[in-house]
Amino acid sequence: MPDTSLYYRLSGFYWFYFATLGVLLPYWSLYLQALGLAPEHIGTLLAITLATKIVAPNVWGWLADRTGRRMRIVRWACFCTAFIFMGVYAAGDSYLGLAVVMFLFSFFWNAALPQFEAITLNHLGHDTPRYGRIRLWGSLGFIAMASLAGGLSQSWGIAVIPMVLLALFSMLWLNSLWVPDQPTQIASPPSLPFLQILRQPLVLVLFTVCFLNQLSHGPYYAFFSIYLSELGYQPWAIGLLWNLGVIAEVGLFLWMPHLLPRFGARRLMLITMALTSLRWWLIGGFADNLPLLLCAQALHGFSFGVYHAVAISLVHQFFTGSHQGRGQALYSSLSFGAGGSLGSLGAGYLWSIWGPEATYQLAAALSLIGLVLAWKGLRLERLSPRPQPA
């Protein structure tokens, strides 16, 4: 485990990064709706921020692995994010203007986290189950800002949201200056060539399951707040419901050092995909039933918390040494990038045609497909052995 000073520096970055998500996810769609944008435009704009994860993490991951200056790249990415986001004010309610700004700022914003994940895991060394103890501060940041932004938007109006986001992006950049430039590198066995690792059936199955998991999250990230607002929930209640999911996520992150060694990655992934499907079914059919909605939100601890901790641990296990940056970037781009953007984009069009219930039922079906794939193909004993040192 890193020393206390380094622990707070790493945790602080996660706090500010996910604090921005605590504002973006619950309230950005409401802000765009207040500008008068149609659902398909809202879905497309949110998809843009996720679509940049398909390319950006891989570009920056390749550069970080080649140069070894991973933290310097993170700092520049955070600075450019804050600077470009100011363009939201110039764009006003222009759909095309907002699309340009959201594409540019998210290209840099999405570059930062995968490289910081590699930095954190390098600091942890072989104690990767402790990752959750650092990552949970991101969840706490999400909770704090989802609550605060809900109160601010209730008092001052939804127009306050861009101002809050700009302040958080600026603080994220300042925090990145506090983290040491070069993480401690740990000894690792020689890696297979990157493409050879990627072609292994187990790795392909893992990335496909991750893609389906995030694809199923599309209606949730893009339209959950709008859905609840149309059902009569107030902004402060919407913020609390988002927070409930993240509180469950924090609890699971705290337990991951015990859960992962006891149950194993495969079993936890199977449980996660099953509960994710149940969650979307409950939200789609029973969002007006508060007790059932509370149960569905509590399942966020599995649909994101356990899922992410298991996935990032496996990626770190599969892609070692000089492949770490590209491995984490590929995980981010295929799951949160390709899966998240296609999910948001598809939800934007299906929402108007099918309605909320059918859209969430489709999300539940996608999670079930991921469950079947994980059950059949996610067997860790099938991972090809690494070459041994001479």
Side-chain angles (χ1 to χ4, degrees):
M1 193 73 179
D3 61 67
T4 302
S5 173
L6 183 56
Y7 170 81
Y8 286 117
R9 298 182 192 193
L10 296 172
S11 301
F13 186 91
Y14 285 105
W15 198 99
F16 285 112
Y17 190 94
F18 287 94
T20 63
L21 277 177
V23 180
L24 275 170
L25 291 180
Y27 305 111
W28 191 245
S29 60
L30 294 175
Y31 172 74
L32 296 176
Q33 185 184 48
L35 293 178
L37 297 176
E40 56 268 25
H41 286 165
I42 294 173
T44 302
L45 288 173
L46 294 175
I48 287 173
T49 64
L50 296 170
T52 55
K53 289 188 177 184
I54 301 173
V55 177
N58 292 293
V59 172
W60 299 112
W62 174 85
L63 185 61
D65 286 344
R66 287 292 298 269
T67 64
R69 307 307 295 269
R70 208 175 302 278
M71 197 59 223
R72 177 173 292 185
I73 290 173
V74 170
R75 290 169 183 159
W76 273 107
C78 293
F79 173 79
C80 292
T81 297
F83 181 78
I84 294 171
F85 188 78
M86 289 189 291
V88 166
Y89 290 102
D93 60 356
S94 168
Y95 168 66
L96 291 179
L98 287 169
V100 171
V101 173
M102 293 179 73
F103 172 82
L104 291 175
F105 102 78
S106 63
F107 184 83
F108 291 96
W109 184 54
N110 289 329
L113 185 61
Q115 300 315 308
F116 200 82
E117 299 276 35
I119 291 168
T120 300
L121 291 167
N122 276 335
H123 279 300
L124 289 173
H126 296 291
D127 199 17
T128 53
R130 298 288 178 182
Y131 163 82
R133 299 291 176 89
I134 294 175
R135 173 58 181 79
L136 70 85
W137 285 98
S139 303
L140 294 175
F142 185 105
I143 293 170
M145 288 313 304
S147 300
L148 179 59
L152 291 175
S153 63
Q154 188 86 14
S155 301
W156 296 352
I158 200 69
V160 75
I161 294 301
M163 185 186 306
V164 175
L165 284 170
L166 181 58
L168 289 172
F169 286 135
S170 301
M171 293 303 297
L172 180 67
W173 169 62
L174 291 174
N175 188 93
S176 72
L177 302 177
W178 195 32
V179 179
D181 186 44
Q182 289 292 337
T184 303
Q185 297 295 321
I186 61 170
S188 59
S191 297
L192 297 171
F194 186 82
L195 290 179
Q196 189 173 341
I197 297 173
L198 185 58
R199 286 196 298 263
Q200 294 189 53
L202 176 60
V203 178
L204 292 174
V205 168
L206 172 64
F207 282 146
T208 303
V209 171
C210 292
F211 170 80
L212 289 170
N213 178 280
Q214 288 305 299
L215 184 66
S216 76
H217 277 70
Y220 177 68
Y221 288 142
F223 291 104
F224 184 64
S225 293
I226 292 176
Y227 183 32
L228 296 184
S229 179
E230 291 174 348
L231 290 174
Y233 291 89
Q234 297 299 312
W236 63 268
I238 294 172
L240 289 178
L241 284 165
W242 278 91
N243 278 348
L244 173 61
V246 184
I247 290 170
E249 174 187 312
V250 170
L252 268 299
F253 274 137
L254 285 171
W255 276 99
M256 283 308 294
H258 308 287
L259 294 177
L260 193 55
R262 180 176 180 180
F263 293 100
R266 179 178 182 271
R267 188 178 300 174
L268 287 176
M269 187 62 83
L270 293 176
I271 294 171
T272 289
M273 297 307 293
L275 293 179
T276 300
S277 182
L278 174 62
R279 184 188 183 196
W280 304 145
W281 179 74
L282 288 173
I283 291 177
F286 304 98
D288 57 346
N289 185 314
L290 184 58
L292 290 179
L293 183 59
L294 293 174
C295 292
Q297 281 302 90
L299 292 177
H300 184 79
F302 284 91
S303 71
F304 179 80
V306 174
Y307 153 78
H308 180 63
V310 169
I312 204 168
S313 175
L314 289 175
V315 171
H316 187 66
Q317 176 185 336
F318 298 160
F319 296 90
T320 61
S322 62
H323 298 328
Q324 287 182 357
R326 280 177 291 171
Q328 295 295 343
L330 193 59
Y331 160 65
S332 177
S333 65
L334 291 176
S335 58
F336 301 106
S341 62
L342 288 175
S344 293
L345 184 63
Y349 288 94
L350 295 177
W351 199 265
S352 299
I353 300 171
W354 290 1
E357 184 173 356
T359 304
Y360 274 109
Q361 286 175 351
L362 176 60
L366 292 171
S367 299
L368 286 179
I369 295 172
L371 170 64
V372 173
L373 286 176
W375 176 60
K376 288 184 172 294
L378 198 60
R379 299 183 182 276
L380 300 184
E381 65 272 11
R382 295 178 180 175
L383 182 67
S384 297
R386 305 185 188 282
Q388 296 300 314

